[in-house]
Amino acid sequence: MPGWIRRHLVVLAGLCTLAYLVLPNVVVLVFSFNQPNGRFNYTWQRFSLDAWKDPCGVPDLCGALGLSLQLAAWATLGATVLGTLIAFALVRYRFRARGAVNALIFLPMSMPEVVMAASLLTLFLNMGAELGFRTVLVAHVMFCLSFVVVAVKARVMSMDPRLEEAARDLYAGPVQTFLRVTLPIAAPGIAAGALLAFALSFDDFVITNFNAGSTVTFPMYVWGSAQRGTPVQINVVGTAMFTVAVLAVVAARFLTARRKRTRSRR
């Protein structure tokens, strides 16, 4: 047995780490079927499906959830477009201060969120901007931009420029070359950056709390609910989102494996 453990130590360590990461989600899942006696959903009382039957039964919960989804979608769109353009510019072109721009890109990733949140709040106040959805959107785009640039930049750096040269040799125009050669190759990096931006924007609390004004997103709603009582519907929403994320990953893996099998048969 000790020899078997040594041979599979890395696998066992990985499984233990995965179990440690998934355990909080399991707790959220279990307590989404709980019916607490009081305001706090911290102790198991009895099994119930009431929260699943009416996930919007708590006032303003679904409104905050919809606002977070809308905010994350717009922030993802803005950060992905700007981040992709910046990544291509940093890889394909040589210009002054290119090294400084590369260094500045990593600052939001290494800087504590509270510092960036306070800096953005100071900027908005000095500009006289009214805190609300727009200021949170700008803040989220600024925060997610660096992650998109890093993801897309890594993909663009690995691209073979001879493919684009071959397309131009075959009389493809700049737009046609970009749409049929460059963009499909860079698409995995762009998709990874977009998914990361969506997750970061939807989950963010610190930057949002500083710049939201009276706007209440889902993380802020959860934080506020924890002060006066946590409704079971929060666990329902968390479980549903986790399930959707897992199904998306499984579907992506299935489609990738199916595509590989199709190519191998050809």
Side-chain angles (χ1 to χ4, degrees):
M1 183 62 70
W4 183 89
I5 294 177
R6 283 195 299 269
R7 289 194 302 270
H8 299 85
L9 183 61
V10 176
V11 177
L12 293 174
L15 291 176
C16 291
T17 303
L18 181 62
Y20 176 77
L21 294 174
V22 175
L23 182 60
N25 297 286
V26 176
V27 175
V28 172
L29 169 64
V30 171
F31 277 85
S32 68
F33 296 99
N34 186 30
Q35 186 176 355
N37 292 328
R39 295 179 302 167
F40 296 96
N41 186 27
Y42 300 148
T43 305
W44 179 264
Q45 299 295 333
R46 65 186 65 85
F47 181 85
S48 175
L49 293 174
D50 293 342
W52 282 93
K53 293 177 181 178
D54 188 15
C56 295
V58 181
D60 300 328
L61 187 148
C62 286
L65 177 62
L67 182 63
S68 288
L69 292 174
Q70 182 182 359
L71 181 64
W74 283 110
T76 300
L77 179 62
T80 302
V81 173
L82 293 176
T84 301
L85 295 176
I86 294 173
F88 272 95
L90 291 175
V91 175
R92 296 294 180 84
Y93 299 97
R94 299 293 183 268
F95 52 89
R96 291 184 179 180
R98 180 170 173 266
V101 173
N102 267 314
L104 288 173
I105 288 297
F106 286 94
L107 277 181
M109 301 175 64
S110 58
M111 184 187 305
E113 283 191 45
V114 65
V115 176
M116 188 174 183
S119 301
L120 288 169
L121 176 60
T122 304
L123 174 65
F124 293 140
L125 292 178
N126 288 333
M127 293 176 59
E130 183 180 355
L131 298 182
F133 182 86
R134 294 181 180 179
T135 55
V136 176
L137 177 60
V138 173
H140 281 206
V141 171
M142 294 292 294
F143 173 63
C144 299
L145 186 62
S146 298
F147 296 90
V148 177
V149 172
V150 171
V152 179
K153 183 181 174 184
R155 183 65 178 179
V156 175
M157 290 179 66
S158 64
M159 291 172 55
D160 189 352
R162 292 176 296 181
L163 296 175
E164 295 170 302
E165 294 175 1
R168 288 191 291 268
D169 290 341
L170 295 172
Y171 303 103
V175 177
Q176 195 174 16
T177 301
F178 177 78
L179 293 178
R180 297 195 174 185
V181 178
T182 307
L183 188 60
I185 297 176
I190 298 174
L195 291 174
L196 185 59
F198 185 89
L200 290 171
S201 175
F202 182 86
D203 185 59
D204 183 77
F205 171 78
V206 177
I207 294 177
T208 305
N209 191 39
F210 270 74
N211 300 280
S214 59
T215 302
V216 179
T217 61
F218 184 69
M220 295 177 63
Y221 183 89
V222 174
W223 177 79
S225 298
Q227 312 301 315
R228 58 184 183 274
T230 308
V232 183
Q233 282 81 355
I234 289 180
N235 296 64
V236 173
V237 173
T239 302
M241 296 189 63
F242 176 74
T243 303
V244 170
V246 171
L247 291 177
V249 172
V250 172
R253 295 291 298 177
F254 174 77
L255 292 175
T256 301
R258 185 178 180 181
R259 190 178 304 167
K260 289 182 178 179
R261 287 196 301 267
T262 303
R263 290 177 179 177
S264 63
R265 291 174 183 174
R266 293 178 182 176

